[in-house]
Amino acid sequence: MKKGNLDDMVKGWFVGQFEPTLFHSKDVEVAIKKYKKGDAESTHHHRIATEITVIVSGKVRMNEQIYKEDDIIVIEPFESTDFIALSDAITAVVKSPGALDDKYDGKFDA
């Protein structure tokens, strides 16, 4: 049995190709991400991975849409999103497949 702590992980990512990680995998990445009200991520997209975000607690805005606790958002490859925490928030995030260099700034421009 392995034991870890989210505070020791890179931005909450505990499954994937990160160092450190609790479970090394190229197939999937998993994180529990903690945000303070006002924390934000700029518009970005992925070209390989599908990203699934579950709002565990709090309220966030992504692409001008407000999401709250228990909402699940699926962002397919080439879909762009931004993010702002409207309150303190916790999210669970799954990316499949795992792809470390698959985050691109801005909207996808075909």
Side-chain angles (χ1 to χ4, degrees):
M1 184 180 318
K2 292 182 183 178
K3 179 186 180 288
N5 190 290
L6 281 176
D7 291 336
D8 298 332
M9 303 297 143
V10 177
K11 298 181 181 180
W13 294 100
F14 62 94
V15 173
Q17 298 179 72
F18 307 98
E19 284 299 328
T21 188
L22 211 52
F23 183 80
H24 191 272
S25 174
K26 294 180 181 181
D27 298 324
V28 66
E29 298 172 359
V30 182
I32 300 295
K33 302 180 73 74
K34 299 176 183 179
Y35 298 95
K36 295 290 185 192
K37 181 179 180 179
D39 285 351
E41 292 185 24
S42 60
T43 301
H44 67 280
H45 64 279
H46 303 285
R47 296 180 185 174
I48 299 170
T50 296
E51 184 171 287
I52 303 161
T53 299
V54 179
I55 310 303
V56 175
S57 67
K59 191 180 336 180
V60 306
R61 185 177 68 222
M62 299 169 71
N63 290 347
E64 303 302 321
Q65 179 76 31
I66 295 176
Y67 298 99
K68 60 184 179 2
E69 185 173 324
D70 297 332
D71 285 341
I72 303 170
I73 305 100
V74 177
I75 303 163
E76 301 287 347
F78 303 105
E79 289 184 321
S80 302
T81 189
D82 57 8
F83 178 95
I84 186 163
L86 301 176
S87 68
D88 289 356
I90 298 174
T91 64
V93 182
V94 176
K95 283 177 54 184
S96 178
L100 281 183
D101 296 321
D102 184 41
K103 186 173 182 179
Y104 299 88
D105 291 334
K107 292 187 176 203
F108 177 71
D109 187 21

